[in-house]
Amino acid sequence: MTIAIHTRGLVKTFGRVRALDGLDLTVEPGEVHGFLGPNGSGKSTTIRVLLGLLRASGGSAMVLGLDPWRDAVAIHRRLAYVPGDVSLWPNLSGGETIDLLTSLRGGADPGLRARLLSDFELDPTTRGRAYSKGNRQKVALVAAFARRAELYLFDEPTSGLDPVMEEVFRREVERVRGEGATVLLSSHILSEVEQLCEKVTIVRAGKAVESGSLSELRHLTRTSFHVATGATPAELAALPGVHDVHREADRLAFDVDTDAIGPVLTALTAAGVSAMTVAPPSLEELFLRHYGDRVES
Amino acid sequence: MAVLGQQLRRDRVVLSIWIVAIAVLLAGSAAAVSSEFTGAAARAAVLQLGLATPSLLALRGIPNGDSAGSLLWFQVFAFLAVAGGLMNTFFATRHGRADEEQGRRELLAAGAIGRLAPLVATAMLGLLANLVLGVLSALGFLVAGYDGTGALVAATGLTSCGLAFLGVGMLAGELAATSRSANSIGVVAVLLAYALRGAGDALGTPHFEKLTLTPSWPSWLSPIGWAQQSFAFTENRVGPALLPLALAALAGGIAFAVHARRDLGASLLPERSGPAHAGVGLRSMLGLAARLARGALIAWAVGGVLLGALIGTLTNAVAGVAASNPQITQVLKAFAPNRQDTVGLLIGAIMLMTGMMAAAAGIQAVLRVRGDETDGRAEPLLALAVSRARWLGSALAVGLAAVAVVLVLAGIAAFAGLAASGRLSDSWRAVEQALAELPAAFTIVAAAAVLIAIVPRASILLAWLVFAAAIVIGLFGPLLTLPTGVLDTSPFSHVPSVPFTDWGPTVVLLVVDAALVALALVLVRRRELSS
């Protein structure tokens, strides 16, 4: 099977701004791939190049084995796309927009369309101008899911949705994954990617800085401990792989490298523990490490 | 006060453009009336023609004697009142329903201000704008050489009409759920006021010896009709000039009362819902383009039909007057230089204007594509199995079809009008002339598509500039005696007059049209989406 998406050294410049600066991205068929990065890191630009809406300034890009700029229409017959900021025709109702968008790639499956409208709790008779941001997003999502595709591209698809609707979205992604489709999901919401994606590419300033499965990437992070213990800060800090020990109220807080967790637990048990919380490494921390930002809360 | 300052800052450019444009229109037409029609005899001839022709009375207004002031009042007041009315209803929506729709009002209402404060600020700023407009209008009339009292009464009428529509606009903002429908209500109210007085004036009783008219009752249903009864520059009646203020108070008062009682974001008229499924017609790019162009096209087509029908009602009157007044023949000749007979002149002049209207309808349909692109609606479309050429091509096809619809309907209306006034032989000429305008209007529309393909960001501005240049050169070029080289740049300069003897220019225009269409479709393939 051909690789679903493959870019090598992708460059896109707007005037003097380098939006993409040698981006590598590989998405295998049938995988749900998270495309993570902060706002302005080049996620949307990459997707627009993959859709042939923008022309790459350098490097190469292949989508479903075809050149996205030259063979845009042939590729588009096989994919569904939901932009990050959906804008609708003010005078068309949601139902009309869904039918228009699906007709232009072959027509919606009527049963699927009806089920999606009810699952997403979307009123199709409302006019485009009267929808909220979240409902505009739902119109685009229903249009994308109402006809099967080989490849789904989602640009921050849940940015306007409430948690219940995010759950509906996750279910639909699971469904199309079950049907063998490939999904590229851009996001800066980490929990969403953690729950849905088996592979992740992290992008920053137009470059992919990290790519792999979630478990491959977790080795990069540290586990956070909050412990009420008899051990002193100095004793803990002396252990290999322990970082940033400090006191928070009646507890000690510190981070531990993944491969040093065992010895640290042994030492803690010896010193006595009356309460402990251990937070798994989250993608939040991956970001913080890559962008060198401090936690601000 | 802070709210007022903020509204003023936000609107200073748009509002200034409106006020200055209306004042310039006023001063320009005032100067034109006094320079073009010198002498009571010339003015009386024009006004006789007007009084004898209900359609002219409907379009213009009521004269009162043969003075220059009377002719000016007849010619310009209703138009100025309409322009001022639109300025006010759009203004009221910008600061009312549009603010609410986009959530700016919510931000403001959460601050330490009263519920009615934004409405009060809008009313005060509107009052200020209309007063400025009034002062500039009075100055404009004075500069053009009309007397001070008349200038003052005319400006008062204009200001009070403006305020009446400010009230109506504010009320529309309380009624409608969206700024779009608030604006529609406002525009309909202004046009209704114009049409009511038009109907009343057309059905009125003319007094030819005194060169004036007693309008029938529909005129008394319109604030523009009230203000017209002030007969500025002749009788200078202040009462009728102030009468629209009563409507301003009434409509504004209701707006305040509703606003004080309703929730933020609520409206008296609920938003209408649409169909749950798209009809077969909407399931293609052509269908989408046609649907988006539909509303505006209907308006343009109605305009075309009215202009076409005007030929029939005007012909007999103009033929009579032109025989005795060479000045009118002169003006018509400038619009349609190759003509000998008066009816032919009239057909040529009106079909030229219709052709330009048709071009505007087409440009609007094509430029909608660019609006979709900047607003982010083109992106999901172009991510479907839709090539850029099909995307632009569909809009262009609808644009060209819009041109044809407007011109063909205008031709049919002209045919019917002329046939009804017993000029069957002329009615075919009108249809042929309408069709002869097609290639020229196509050129402008296809040029707009080329602009979208090569300079997307500047395309809207440039397309309308091309249109404006074609109009100015085509309509006024002969009057201004521009050199032939300049005249030839407007496609409308190459439209032949019926009966055709030389098909050459038409064939050349059609070849140019085809080349422009091909160019647009090829070039758009090469460009990226640009926001």
Side-chain angles (χ1 to χ4, degrees), chain B residues 38-139:
Chain B
T38 45
R43 290 192 293 265
V46 176
L47 292 175
Q48 292 279 9
L49 168 68
L51 285 170
T53 316
S55 54
L56 278 181
L57 285 172
L59 279 177
R60 299 292 188 165
I62 311 175
N64 186 24
D66 63 4
S67 67
S70 159
L71 180 59
L72 176 66
W73 194 242
F74 168 74
Q75 291 272 45
V76 305
F77 179 74
F79 288 167
L80 293 175
V82 166
L86 293 176
M87 170 183 110
N88 275 285
T89 59
F90 289 144
F91 165 81
T93 301
R94 277 202 302 281
H95 294 286
R97 187 47 71 174
D99 263 12
E100 229 168 291
E101 198 174 61
Q102 296 177 6
R104 284 192 292 260
R105 177 63 62 77
E106 194 170 350
L107 217 60
L108 206 60
I113 59 163
R115 170 183 298 275
L116 289 175
L119 218 56
V120 173
T122 304
M124 282 170 62
L125 183 56
L127 181 65
L128 185 70
N130 282 290
L131 287 175
V132 171
L133 177 62
V135 170
L136 284 182
S137 310
L139 286 175

Side-chain angles (χ1 to χ4, degrees), chain A residues 29-60:
Chain A
E31 85 186 11
V32 177
H33 195 107
F35 194 40
L36 270 177
N39 294 325
S41 56
K43 301 190 298 288
S44 297
T45 304
T46 306
I47 291 180
R48 288 190 181 124
V49 172
L50 294 176
L51 285 167
L53 300 174
L54 299 177
R55 181 167 18 196
S57 318
S60 68

